[in-house]
PDB file of all heavy atoms in Angstrom:
ATOM      1  N   PHE A 291       9.471 -84.629 157.322  1.00 80.00           N
ATOM      2  CA  PHE A 291       8.444 -85.525 157.863  1.00 80.00           C
ATOM      3  C   PHE A 291       7.744 -84.906 159.081  1.00 80.00           C
ATOM      4  O   PHE A 291       6.511 -84.907 159.187  1.00 80.00           O
ATOM      5  CB  PHE A 291       9.086 -86.859 158.257  1.00 80.00           C
ATOM      6  CG  PHE A 291       8.131 -87.805 158.934  1.00 80.00           C
ATOM      7  CD1 PHE A 291       7.144 -88.459 158.216  1.00 80.00           C
ATOM      8  CD2 PHE A 291       8.209 -88.031 160.304  1.00 80.00           C
ATOM      9  CE1 PHE A 291       6.260 -89.315 158.835  1.00 80.00           C
ATOM     10  CE2 PHE A 291       7.333 -88.895 160.933  1.00 80.00           C
ATOM     11  CZ  PHE A 291       6.347 -89.540 160.191  1.00 80.00           C
ATOM     12  N   LEU A 292       8.573 -84.326 159.995  1.00 83.00           N
ATOM     13  CA  LEU A 292       7.993 -83.796 161.230  1.00 83.00           C
ATOM     14  C   LEU A 292       7.252 -82.476 161.012  1.00 83.00           C
ATOM     15  O   LEU A 292       6.146 -82.280 161.536  1.00 83.00           O
ATOM     16  CB  LEU A 292       9.101 -83.593 162.276  1.00 83.00           C
ATOM     17  CG  LEU A 292       9.734 -84.873 162.810  1.00 83.00           C
ATOM     18  CD1 LEU A 292      10.908 -84.554 163.715  1.00 83.00           C
ATOM     19  CD2 LEU A 292       8.706 -85.704 163.559  1.00 83.00           C
ATOM     20  N   VAL A 293       7.866 -81.577 160.219  1.00 82.00           N
ATOM     21  CA  VAL A 293       7.283 -80.243 160.065  1.00 82.00           C
ATOM     22  C   VAL A 293       6.202 -80.236 158.990  1.00 82.00           C
ATOM     23  O   VAL A 293       5.056 -79.833 159.237  1.00 82.00           O
ATOM     24  CB  VAL A 293       8.384 -79.207 159.728  1.00 82.00           C
ATOM     25  CG1 VAL A 293       7.754 -77.825 159.542  1.00 82.00           C
ATOM     26  CG2 VAL A 293       9.427 -79.173 160.836  1.00 82.00           C
ATOM     27  N   ASP A 294       6.567 -80.693 157.781  1.00 74.00           N
ATOM     28  CA  ASP A 294       5.592 -80.644 156.677  1.00 74.00           C
ATOM     29  C   ASP A 294       4.546 -81.755 156.797  1.00 74.00           C
ATOM     30  O   ASP A 294       3.378 -81.549 156.451  1.00 74.00           O
ATOM     31  CB  ASP A 294       6.317 -80.781 155.333  1.00 74.00           C
ATOM     32  CG  ASP A 294       7.316 -79.662 155.127  1.00 74.00           C
ATOM     33  OD1 ASP A 294       7.145 -78.593 155.748  1.00 74.00           O
ATOM     34  OD2 ASP A 294       8.284 -79.856 154.362  1.00 74.00           O
ATOM     35  N   GLY A 295       5.006 -82.940 157.266  1.00 73.00           N
ATOM     36  CA  GLY A 295       4.086 -84.069 157.334  1.00 73.00           C
ATOM     37  C   GLY A 295       3.196 -84.018 158.556  1.00 73.00           C
ATOM     38  O   GLY A 295       1.999 -83.693 158.468  1.00 73.00           O
ATOM     39  N   ILE A 296       3.779 -84.317 159.725  1.00 77.00           N
ATOM     40  CA  ILE A 296       2.979 -84.432 160.953  1.00 77.00           C
ATOM     41  C   ILE A 296       2.406 -83.076 161.383  1.00 77.00           C
ATOM     42  O   ILE A 296       1.183 -82.911 161.513  1.00 77.00           O
ATOM     43  CB  ILE A 296       3.831 -85.021 162.090  1.00 77.00           C
ATOM     44  CG1 ILE A 296       4.328 -86.415 161.718  1.00 77.00           C
ATOM     45  CG2 ILE A 296       3.005 -85.064 163.388  1.00 77.00           C
ATOM     46  CD1 ILE A 296       3.281 -87.480 161.703  1.00 77.00           C
ATOM     47  N   TYR A 297       3.300 -82.090 161.584  1.00 81.00           N
ATOM     48  CA  TYR A 297       2.803 -80.815 162.130  1.00 81.00           C
ATOM     49  C   TYR A 297       1.910 -80.082 161.130  1.00 81.00           C
ATOM     50  O   TYR A 297       0.859 -79.544 161.493  1.00 81.00           O
ATOM     51  CB  TYR A 297       3.976 -79.914 162.531  1.00 81.00           C
ATOM     52  CG  TYR A 297       3.505 -78.622 163.170  1.00 81.00           C
ATOM     53  CD1 TYR A 297       3.086 -78.603 164.489  1.00 81.00           C
ATOM     54  CD2 TYR A 297       3.436 -77.440 162.438  1.00 81.00           C
ATOM     55  CE1 TYR A 297       2.613 -77.453 165.080  1.00 81.00           C
ATOM     56  CE2 TYR A 297       2.960 -76.276 163.013  1.00 81.00           C
ATOM     57  CZ  TYR A 297       2.554 -76.289 164.336  1.00 81.00           C
ATOM     58  OH  TYR A 297       2.069 -75.146 164.904  1.00 81.00           O
ATOM     59  N   GLY A 298       2.327 -80.068 159.869  1.00 74.00           N
ATOM     60  CA  GLY A 298       1.529 -79.361 158.860  1.00 74.00           C
ATOM     61  C   GLY A 298       0.129 -79.933 158.750  1.00 74.00           C
ATOM     62  O   GLY A 298      -0.863 -79.199 158.696  1.00 74.00           O
ATOM     63  N   GLY A 299       0.046 -81.281 158.746  1.00 69.00           N
ATOM     64  CA  GLY A 299      -1.268 -81.916 158.640  1.00 69.00           C
ATOM     65  C   GLY A 299      -2.125 -81.646 159.861  1.00 69.00           C
ATOM     66  O   GLY A 299      -3.297 -81.283 159.749  1.00 69.00           O
ATOM     67  N   LEU A 300      -1.527 -81.792 161.049  1.00 74.00           N
ATOM     68  CA  LEU A 300      -2.301 -81.582 162.273  1.00 74.00           C
ATOM     69  C   LEU A 300      -2.691 -80.120 162.452  1.00 74.00           C
ATOM     70  O   LEU A 300      -3.785 -79.815 162.936  1.00 74.00           O
ATOM     71  CB  LEU A 300      -1.498 -82.058 163.484  1.00 74.00           C
ATOM     72  CG  LEU A 300      -1.324 -83.574 163.610  1.00 74.00           C
ATOM     73  CD1 LEU A 300      -0.541 -83.926 164.861  1.00 74.00           C
ATOM     74  CD2 LEU A 300      -2.679 -84.274 163.635  1.00 74.00           C
ATOM     75  N   ALA A 301      -1.803 -79.200 162.066  1.00 76.00           N
ATOM     76  CA  ALA A 301      -2.123 -77.775 162.203  1.00 76.00           C
ATOM     77  C   ALA A 301      -3.303 -77.398 161.317  1.00 76.00           C
ATOM     78  O   ALA A 301      -4.171 -76.604 161.713  1.00 76.00           O
ATOM     79  CB  ALA A 301      -0.906 -76.936 161.832  1.00 76.00           C
ATOM     80  N   THR A 302      -3.357 -77.995 160.128  1.00 68.00           N
ATOM     81  CA  THR A 302      -4.483 -77.714 159.238  1.00 68.00           C
ATOM     82  C   THR A 302      -5.787 -78.200 159.844  1.00 68.00           C
ATOM     83  O   THR A 302      -6.806 -77.503 159.818  1.00 68.00           O
ATOM     84  CB  THR A 302      -4.253 -78.402 157.876  1.00 68.00           C
ATOM     85  OG1 THR A 302      -3.002 -77.974 157.356  1.00 68.00           O
ATOM     86  CG2 THR A 302      -5.351 -78.057 156.900  1.00 68.00           C
ATOM     87  N   VAL A 303      -5.758 -79.406 160.413  1.00 68.00           N
ATOM     88  CA  VAL A 303      -6.969 -79.942 161.040  1.00 68.00           C
ATOM     89  C   VAL A 303      -7.331 -79.134 162.285  1.00 68.00           C
ATOM     90  O   VAL A 303      -8.510 -78.823 162.531  1.00 68.00           O
ATOM     91  CB  VAL A 303      -6.768 -81.427 161.403  1.00 68.00           C
ATOM     92  CG1 VAL A 303      -7.985 -81.964 162.142  1.00 68.00           C
ATOM     93  CG2 VAL A 303      -6.526 -82.250 160.143  1.00 68.00           C
ATOM     94  N   ALA A 304      -6.307 -78.750 163.070  1.00 74.00           N
ATOM     95  CA  ALA A 304      -6.561 -78.003 164.314  1.00 74.00           C
ATOM     96  C   ALA A 304      -7.227 -76.664 164.037  1.00 74.00           C
ATOM     97  O   ALA A 304      -7.985 -76.155 164.866  1.00 74.00           O
ATOM     98  CB  ALA A 304      -5.250 -77.790 165.059  1.00 74.00           C
ATOM     99  N   SER A 305      -6.965 -76.096 162.874  1.00 71.00           N
ATOM    100  CA  SER A 305      -7.544 -74.786 162.571  1.00 71.00           C
ATOM    101  C   SER A 305      -9.067 -74.860 162.472  1.00 71.00           C
ATOM    102  O   SER A 305      -9.749 -73.838 162.526  1.00 71.00           O
ATOM    103  CB  SER A 305      -6.954 -74.240 161.266  1.00 71.00           C
ATOM    104  OG  SER A 305      -7.371 -75.032 160.171  1.00 71.00           O
ATOM    105  N   PHE A 306      -9.602 -76.082 162.342  1.00 68.00           N
ATOM    106  CA  PHE A 306     -11.054 -76.227 162.213  1.00 68.00           C
ATOM    107  C   PHE A 306     -11.748 -76.464 163.556  1.00 68.00           C
ATOM    108  O   PHE A 306     -12.964 -76.578 163.610  1.00 68.00           O
ATOM    109  CB  PHE A 306     -11.384 -77.378 161.262  1.00 68.00           C
ATOM    110  CG  PHE A 306     -11.143 -77.027 159.840  1.00 68.00           C
ATOM    111  CD1 PHE A 306      -9.937 -77.343 159.236  1.00 68.00           C
ATOM    112  CD2 PHE A 306     -12.085 -76.340 159.098  1.00 68.00           C
ATOM    113  CE1 PHE A 306      -9.692 -77.001 157.929  1.00 68.00           C
ATOM    114  CE2 PHE A 306     -11.849 -75.983 157.791  1.00 68.00           C
ATOM    115  CZ  PHE A 306     -10.646 -76.319 157.205  1.00 68.00           C
ATOM    116  N   ILE A 307     -10.973 -76.541 164.618  1.00 75.00           N
ATOM    117  CA  ILE A 307     -11.578 -76.806 165.927  1.00 75.00           C
ATOM    118  C   ILE A 307     -12.616 -75.743 166.298  1.00 75.00           C
ATOM    119  O   ILE A 307     -13.729 -76.080 166.725  1.00 75.00           O
ATOM    120  CB  ILE A 307     -10.480 -76.939 167.002  1.00 75.00           C
ATOM    121  CG1 ILE A 307      -9.724 -78.248 166.789  1.00 75.00           C
ATOM    122  CG2 ILE A 307     -11.071 -76.893 168.407  1.00 75.00           C
ATOM    123  CD1 ILE A 307      -8.555 -78.442 167.713  1.00 75.00           C
ATOM    124  N   PRO A 308     -12.331 -74.446 166.148  1.00 79.00           N
ATOM    125  CA  PRO A 308     -13.365 -73.449 166.486  1.00 79.00           C
ATOM    126  C   PRO A 308     -14.640 -73.623 165.659  1.00 79.00           C
ATOM    127  O   PRO A 308     -15.750 -73.451 166.168  1.00 79.00           O
ATOM    128  CB  PRO A 308     -12.685 -72.110 166.175  1.00 79.00           C
ATOM    129  CG  PRO A 308     -11.225 -72.394 166.203  1.00 79.00           C
ATOM    130  CD  PRO A 308     -11.078 -73.786 165.717  1.00 79.00           C
TER     131      PRO A 308
END
Side-chain angles (χ1 to χ4, degrees):
F291 175 73
L292 292 174
V293 179
D294 300 336
I296 299 289
Y297 183 78
L300 289 181
T302 304
V303 176
S305 67
F306 285 94
I307 289 175

